[in-house]
Amino acid sequence: MKISARNVLKGTVKEISVGAINTEVTIEIAPGIEIVSIITKSSAERLDLTEGKEAYVAIKSSDVLVGVD
């Protein structure tokens, strides 16, 4: 995966909270250090996010993106 964001952190999905339109995803990047992102429900489904799955947090400017291999 190649993206333009310079701040890419690998972690593990710790918690997923699904809403009607958006999904809140908590990713633990180190013991006790978590990043929370709100993404669309359809993006979470497309990425097949599940607790325990490895994922990436990409931070660019004011956006926080989530990706998987």
Side-chain angles (χ1 to χ4, degrees):
M1 170 177 69
K2 291 184 180 182
I3 59 173
S4 62
R6 292 183 181 201
N7 302 300
V8 179
L9 308 168
K10 189 174 184 178
T12 303
V13 177
K14 185 171 181 180
E15 185 177 346
I16 299 171
S17 179
V18 180
I21 297 172
N22 292 321
T23 298
E24 184 178 280
V25 182
T26 302
I27 297 179
E28 186 174 50
I29 58 170
I33 300 174
E34 301 172 354
I35 294 179
V36 179
S37 179
I38 297 175
I39 61 176
T40 63
K41 183 178 178 181
S42 62
S43 289
E45 291 169 351
R46 183 175 47 80
L47 294 171
D48 193 29
L49 294 178
T50 55
E51 291 181 11
K53 184 173 187 171
E54 288 187 343
Y56 296 90
V57 176
I59 302 169
K60 182 169 180 155
S61 197
S62 62
D63 296 319
V64 177
L65 311 172
V66 175
V68 297
D69 282 330

